[in-house]
Amino acid sequence: MIHTLLFGLGRFGRDHLAAWEATGRARVAAIVDPMHSGTSTLSPDGDRQIPVVGTLSDLPASIPIDVAAVVTPVWTHREIAQSLFERSIPCLIEKPLAASSAEASQIREAARESGVACMPGHILRFSAPHLEIWQSLENSRHPVVTMSFRRDRSMALLELYPGEHPALLTGIHDIDLATWFANSPVGSVSSRHTIKEGLCVGFEANLHHHNGSETHISGEYVFPAELVDTVFDEVLVTGASGTTLGRFRNHSDSTPTPNSPDPALVSEISHFLDVYDGVTADLRVNLDDAVHCLAVVEAIIHSSESEGQTLLVEAR
């Protein structure tokens, strides 16, 4: 059994807790969360108490740790990652990798210097319908594609993550999928956003890939705040002739539970465990991917603030 240290026991942290243990290969040995009121929490199966500490330095030396999962606010990721690299603990870090592409680059360089495995968590690369689209594109060998992504969420996200641009909070999923599907990084972007009462509630962006592929991404906080888990996602991929190469549509209001964790998250974690166990050395999501996604997000935000001006994506 692989002993896992979980950072963060908030809403998404609990999703990870259930998913790590659902792999059947890992057990969460301890949790680090300074906001947790108690000294332990019940395991998903209800069979044991998992110790919870406020900081990594509070973790008893008697608790063995093999790997870690970082599911904390994005501005904490760099410091946590550095502390794990210093202890030679491989880690899976939830998206976005860091608060900026510059910080993400620092995590990448620290990982390379330490030689410790670090995988960014872009879950949709492990989602069955998205993986099917990617496989179809790989098999058909279409070098240039046109893609359209739509991602709408609840207004509750404005309260959970005040001030976060939707391109960073939700659009980053589609940026990652676009570069993965096109097998090409983004060279330039143009974007506009919608501001209500001083907050960005939606955006539209055009991404221009190095290989000539084009992507349109849009997203908005449209559902009432009380509908926290309501989502609408749509993906359409077409070839140069207009032929549909991939399509996905989802409108739901369900959320994973400890008894039914997200299959894509379980698959993502299982892939990371395969890397840890030496089954594969090929990370499906690597640090270069995560750094590039953040650079694209920053270009989208700056373009929106410049009334849609086309901007180059900075290489990191």
Side-chain angles (χ1 to χ4, degrees):
M1 191 67 69
I2 297 172
H3 301 94
T4 305
L5 177 62
L6 175 63
F7 285 81
L9 196 56
R11 179 187 175 195
F12 297 116
R14 290 194 175 277
D15 290 345
H16 266 261
L17 172 58
W20 278 86
E21 304 222 336
T23 65
R25 302 164 61 189
R27 170 173 288 192
V28 174
I31 298 169
V32 178
D33 190 330
M35 304 303 292
H36 188 70
S37 58
T39 58
S40 66
T41 190
L42 193 64
S43 63
D45 60 12
D47 286 347
R48 72 188 198 283
Q49 290 289 329
I50 303 172
V52 181
V53 297
T55 67
L56 181 55
S57 60
D58 295 329
L59 185 70
S62 59
I63 298 178
I65 298 298
D66 300 312
V67 300
V70 181
V71 196
T72 56
V74 65
W75 58 86
T76 67
H77 288 183
R78 181 179 58 174
E79 182 179 350
I80 293 172
Q82 185 62 54
S83 66
L84 293 171
F85 299 153
E86 291 171 356
R87 292 166 172 80
S88 299
I89 300 175
C91 55
L92 171 65
I93 302 179
E94 258 298 347
K95 68 86 189 167
L97 178 62
S100 67
S101 61
E103 283 195 6
S105 295
Q106 292 169 3
I107 291 175
R108 178 180 60 188
E109 295 312 309
R112 288 175 177 171
E113 290 176 5
S114 67
V116 178
C118 177
M119 177 174 148
H122 280 277
I123 189 174
L124 293 187
R125 293 199 189 195
F126 300 87
S127 161
H130 297 94
L131 186 56
E132 183 179 342
I133 293 174
W134 176 82
Q135 191 63 65
S136 175
L137 292 170
E138 285 289 291
N139 294 340
S140 62
R141 298 186 180 277
H142 281 270
V144 178
V145 293
T146 300
M147 295 169 284
S148 175
F149 297 86
R150 177 81 191 181
R151 188 173 300 275
D152 293 335
R153 293 293 184 267
S154 167
M155 294 290 288
L157 290 183
L158 290 174
E159 300 173 7
L160 290 171
Y161 305 97
E164 293 285 8
H165 196 284
L168 177 65
L169 198 57
T170 59
I172 197 169
H173 281 297
D174 299 318
I175 295 167
D176 180 65
L177 285 176
T179 58
W180 190 44
F181 288 168
N183 193 27
S184 175
V186 177
S188 62
V189 308
S190 58
S191 177
R192 292 185 180 273
H193 56 204
T194 302
I195 304 295
K196 291 184 179 179
E197 298 180 0
L199 295 174
C200 181
V201 298
F203 79 104
E204 292 191 25
N206 294 311
L207 316 183
H208 314 289
H209 298 260
H210 286 304
N211 71 349
S213 295
E214 297 286 332
T215 297
H216 180 77
I217 293 177
S218 61
E220 194 171 1
Y221 300 132
V222 294
F223 302 115
E226 58 268 22
L227 301 179
V228 178
D229 298 310
T230 300
V231 303
F232 176 80
D233 299 330
E234 191 168 40
V235 179
L236 177 63
V237 184
T238 58
S241 63
T243 304
T244 298
L245 303 175
R247 183 190 295 270
F248 170 74
R249 194 172 189 270
N250 173 49
H251 187 187
S252 68
D253 57 5
S254 61
T255 186
T257 67
N259 296 323
S260 59
D262 187 339
L265 182 56
V266 176
S267 178
E268 177 182 71
I269 294 167
S270 294
H271 173 74
F272 175 74
L273 295 176
D274 283 344
V275 174
Y276 173 77
D277 278 335
V279 176
T280 179
D282 184 22
L283 285 171
R284 190 176 300 174
V285 190
N286 61 49
L287 292 168
D288 289 339
D289 297 330
V291 172
H292 180 65
C293 280
L294 281 163
V296 175
V297 166
E298 289 164 354
I300 286 173
I301 294 173
H302 293 152
S303 175
S304 296
E305 294 170 344
S306 304
E307 299 183 352
Q309 180 181 356
T310 298
L311 299 177
L312 296 179
V313 176
E314 289 189 27
R316 287 287 184 184

